[in-house]
Amino acid sequence: MRTINYLSIAILACSTVATVNAQTASIPKTEKAAETKQTKVVKEQYFMDKYYEIKATYPSLNICFGTYAASSHNMKQYIERYNEIKAAYPKLPEVYGNYAGSEYTLEKFAQRYYQIKDTYPTMAKNYGDYAGSKQTLQEFIKRFNQIKDSAPDLAEYYGQYAASTATLEEFSSRYYGVKASNTGMKNCYGEYAGSDKKLAK
């Protein structure tokens, strides 16, 4: 009889310890799950804010004002990427901004740059637009020809339209909207029109 009592007590003690341990172990998992479900609040970036930010900080990089303003990178990231391609490809300054503003690795960007250069040697002005875009070469050329046929007055911005995901109607609307706003960002109309950023608050 005593043996059974001792055995019962031992089993009860073990199960109590196991239950407490299980409850303790489950607390961090619950907290982690709650943390995972929390969403980060990302501050909306406005094109004009970023434009004037880089213009004030790096006034000599006027060729990059638009690509930075349209990008998702902060200033530090953008300049690091700018310096990375500048060091690796000193003879390609015309595409530094395209790379810095893109999401590609330098290797992938260079691959895309040489892809369009080798395939369309007469489109030098648009190499950077394509290399930094998310379009396939086929889709880029299709969109390039679309705007070329439909909007000859936007010739300066064909590459930026082709590189964007905007419809021609959206691109034109954004272009003429920023042009009419007299913001002083003439050299960045195409980057704004092709971006998904709001102009200002």
Side-chain angles (χ1 to χ4, degrees):
M1 194 72 159
R2 285 182 181 172
T3 306
I4 293 172
N5 285 343
Y6 288 137
L7 185 58
S8 299
I9 291 168
I11 291 170
L12 181 62
C14 287
S15 66
T16 303
V17 170
T19 304
V20 170
N21 285 342
Q23 288 173 346
T24 306
S26 69
I27 290 172
K29 289 179 184 176
T30 306
E31 288 174 0
K32 283 181 183 178
E35 287 174 13
T36 305
K37 289 180 182 177
Q38 289 179 348
T39 55
K40 291 182 180 179
V41 178
V42 179
K43 185 179 176 185
E44 186 171 12
Q45 297 178 316
Y46 296 95
F47 190 92
M48 277 183 65
D49 291 347
K50 292 190 74 178
Y51 172 90
Y52 285 112
E53 177 191 14
I54 192 169
K55 185 177 182 180
T57 312
Y58 297 96
S60 64
L61 293 183
N62 60 320
I63 194 172
C64 297
F65 293 171
T67 53
Y68 170 66
S71 79
S72 61
H73 299 304
N74 62 37
M75 179 79 76
K76 182 176 182 290
Q77 293 166 333
Y78 183 90
I79 295 301
E80 283 174 354
R81 290 173 61 81
Y82 177 90
N83 289 329
E84 179 189 14
I85 191 170
K86 184 179 179 182
Y89 294 95
K91 294 183 179 180
L92 299 178
E94 68 278 5
V95 300
Y96 291 171
N98 298 108
Y99 168 69
S102 79
E103 303 294 330
Y104 290 115
T105 62
L106 184 55
E107 182 182 3
K108 183 65 175 177
F109 181 89
Q111 180 186 2
R112 289 172 60 83
Y113 172 87
Y114 287 110
Q115 178 192 21
I116 190 171
K117 183 180 180 183
D118 293 344
T119 313
Y120 295 96
T122 60
M123 294 182 69
K125 181 185 174 188
N126 307 114
Y127 293 167
D129 293 325
Y130 167 69
S133 80
K134 294 178 181 176
Q135 303 290 359
T136 63
L137 184 55
Q138 182 180 4
E139 187 62 24
F140 182 88
I141 297 302
K142 179 182 173 183
R143 289 172 60 81
F144 185 92
N145 289 329
Q146 178 196 18
I147 192 171
K148 184 179 178 182
D149 294 342
S150 306
D153 54 320
L154 296 179
E156 189 178 342
Y157 309 103
Y158 289 171
Q160 288 153 343
Y161 167 70
S164 77
T165 56
T167 64
L168 184 52
E169 184 180 353
E170 290 167 344
F171 185 90
S172 298
S173 174
R174 286 171 64 84
Y175 168 80
Y176 288 113
V178 71
K179 185 178 180 182
S181 68
N182 294 316
T183 56
M185 301 188 302
K186 185 176 181 181
N187 60 332
C188 300
Y189 291 169
E191 286 92 344
Y192 169 70
S195 78
D196 59 0
K197 287 194 165 37
K198 291 180 181 176
L199 183 59
K201 290 182 183 179

